[in-house]
Amino acid sequence: LTSIDGQSKVGYLYSATHINDALLPFSWYVHHVLSGALDAGLPNTYVKQIATVDMIEDSDQKRDLLERSIYQN
């Protein structure tokens, strides 16, 4: 990838090969995606779509706290 300032950047993309509509993302994961969308300055309509994704709470509270801890300063 090449950034706006002309410097090369490495990017990664995760793409599902098998989709199960019965599965929902954890709320901490949606928070990561939403935070990234806001940081990247994505359009408000896109950010609003992310914010309305159906999600579930992670029953593994340690993992939930660990994932959310990167936002605590």
Side-chain angles (χ1 to χ4, degrees):
L1 300 174
T2 304
S3 66
I4 293 172
D5 62 6
Q7 294 189 11
S8 294
K9 304 288 182 185
V10 175
Y12 296 94
L13 170 74
Y14 295 95
S15 180
T17 55
H18 294 57
I19 297 174
N20 182 340
D21 291 331
L23 299 176
L24 296 174
F26 290 128
S27 61
W28 57 258
Y29 178 79
V30 174
H31 188 263
H32 286 325
V33 175
L34 185 58
S35 178
L38 291 168
D39 286 348
L42 295 182
N44 287 337
T45 54
Y46 192 71
V47 171
K48 287 178 184 177
Q49 284 181 311
I50 296 168
T52 61
V53 167
D54 289 334
M55 63 191 99
I56 59 172
E57 294 303 319
D58 191 343
S59 62
D60 184 337
Q61 292 181 341
K62 285 185 180 181
R63 178 174 53 199
D64 187 276
L65 288 172
L66 177 65
E67 290 294 334
R68 293 176 191 274
S69 70
I70 67 169
Y71 302 102
Q72 299 171 2
N73 293 325

